[in-house]
Amino acid sequence: MYNQRQAKNQRHSFVVGVEYRHEDLFVEVELGTFRTTPLHAQRIANSVNSIILLKNHMVIIFKNAKSITISDDFLKQEYQFRICIKPAMRPLDSSALTHQEREDFTQNQSYIVPEENMKEMNWDFQIAFQYLQDRYDAHDRTHFSFSQSSFYIIPVSEQKQEEVQHATS
């Protein structure tokens, strides 16, 4: 008999990725397609600790202290830079806010960036690095650390799952 517990633990293919940001520059990195449970796919997405952009490459650091280096020659199709074209709001010190004010702040539409305010950029690492140096007058910086913005887990269709299984068999 089929029950909910079996469905939750059933393995499917998921495309897993993360999006990290530094000020108004976002980088989306596709971690890969995994045949796993939904919970484990979420754990894979949450395993990324930070992303560091250097002049010629990017380093993804995982919570287990392992890392991978992505260069423009390696995994070029696995990342995408986007910039926010919405004017930046003044930073706010949330520590001085009451609980209700913090709740109201998280719902404030002026601080939320909708998809239509994001512009995809066909940039390599050097252009993104130069953009950050110029934009934030940081020509003496050797790297920029990105902080987590979001992650995604996209189920792959049954037909695509069969293609993945045949390709890996």
Side-chain angles (χ1 to χ4, degrees), residues 11-137:
R11 292 179 176 262
H12 294 283
S13 294
F14 297 93
V15 175
V16 178
V18 294
E19 184 173 78
Y20 276 65
R21 67 179 285 251
H22 182 83
E23 303 294 338
D24 65 340
L25 180 64
F26 291 76
V27 62
E28 180 183 323
V29 179
E30 187 176 303
L31 299 174
T33 302
F34 300 90
R35 184 154 177 80
T36 186
T37 65
L39 180 61
H40 192 253
Q42 185 176 359
R43 287 182 180 155
I44 292 168
N46 283 325
S47 70
V48 177
N49 188 46
S50 61
I51 293 179
I52 299 173
L53 176 67
L54 294 110
K55 187 174 185 176
N56 297 316
H57 60 282
M58 185 167 52
V59 178
I60 300 174
I61 301 171
F62 295 91
K63 290 180 180 170
N64 65 1
K66 296 193 184 272
S67 65
I68 60 170
T69 300
I70 300 176
S71 67
D72 283 324
D73 299 335
F74 178 65
L75 297 177
K76 171 64 177 150
Q77 281 66 41
E78 305 307 321
Y79 68 88
Q80 172 69 52
F81 288 103
R82 298 187 309 160
I83 59 171
C84 176
I85 56 176
K86 181 179 182 177
M89 295 294 293
R90 194 170 37 89
L92 178 69
D93 180 13
S94 64
S95 64
L97 300 177
T98 66
H99 176 73
Q100 184 57 49
E101 289 172 328
R102 265 185 248 139
E103 289 292 317
D104 293 342
F105 172 72
T106 60
Q107 304 296 321
N108 187 332
Q109 292 298 312
S110 59
Y111 283 92
I112 296 174
V113 181
E115 194 64 34
E116 59 267 11
N117 287 342
M118 299 298 286
K119 180 179 178 186
E120 287 190 10
M121 308 305 289
N122 191 19
W123 287 353
D124 61 15
F125 298 122
Q126 287 181 332
I127 294 171
F129 186 83
Q130 188 65 49
Y131 170 82
L132 289 174
Q133 281 190 324
D134 293 345
R135 175 102 172 149
Y136 301 103
D137 197 26

